[in-house]
Amino acid sequence: MARIAGVDLPKNKRIEIGLTYIYGIGRSSSRRILEKLAIDMETKTDQLTEDQVSDIRKVIDNEYKVEGTLRTEVSMNIKRLMDLGCYRGLRHRKSLPVRGQRTSTNARTRKGPKRAAVKKKGAIKQKK
């Protein structure tokens, strides 16, 4: 099993897809890496030699921000926006959609489950 950037790559997948399990590497980045190293994209991850795995590891370490460093950078960028008090930062702070989506309906993923309306007991009393 290949372990790159602290992530165990899945065994029976093409290497092009397997590399996308690393946070910060998508399909285009994985293709670019494999073309640079002249590794066939159809190769399964468990068929890689140790030399190929080490080459991939070197390229990723030298040229890409992945996993922990990328996660911290993204979280620091969000924290910076929140500290500045700009519009995007306020939206992050209130946990509302940041990129201009509607919120009167939808946006449930960002806002969380609906809160039930509070009904007061005996609000309407009839006179006798």
Side-chain angles (χ1 to χ4, degrees), residues 67-86:
E67 288 299 324
T69 55
L70 183 60
R71 288 181 202 269
T72 54
E73 184 177 327
V74 169
S75 66
M76 291 302 289
N77 288 340
I78 292 171
K79 191 173 183 343
R80 178 179 51 82
L81 290 172
M82 289 165 58
D83 291 342
L84 284 173
C86 65

Side-chain angles (χ1 to χ4, degrees), residues 51-109:
D51 294 336
Q52 290 174 327
V53 172
S54 65
D55 290 342
I56 292 171
R57 201 175 285 134
K58 286 176 189 170
V59 169
I60 289 174
D61 287 342
N62 294 335
E63 299 178 19
Y64 292 90
K65 285 185 183 174
V66 291
E67 288 299 324
T69 55
L70 183 60
R71 288 181 202 269
T72 54
E73 184 177 327
V74 169
S75 66
M76 291 302 289
N77 288 340
I78 292 171
K79 191 173 183 343
R80 178 179 51 82
L81 290 172
M82 289 165 58
D83 291 342
L84 284 173
C86 65
Y87 183 76
R88 281 174 57 201
L90 296 176
R91 302 297 284 182
H92 275 291
R93 206 180 295 164
K94 294 178 184 176
S95 70
L96 290 169
V98 178
R99 298 184 179 176
Q101 299 92 331
R102 64 168 45 229
T103 56
S104 57
T105 59
N106 303 339
R108 290 275 52 118
T109 302

Side-chain angles (χ1 to χ4, degrees), residues 9-22:
L9 300 183
K11 286 185 179 177
N12 202 17
K13 289 195 185 263
R14 293 171 34 229
I15 186 63
E16 176 189 11
I17 304 300
L19 285 177
T20 63
Y21 280 63
I22 300 170

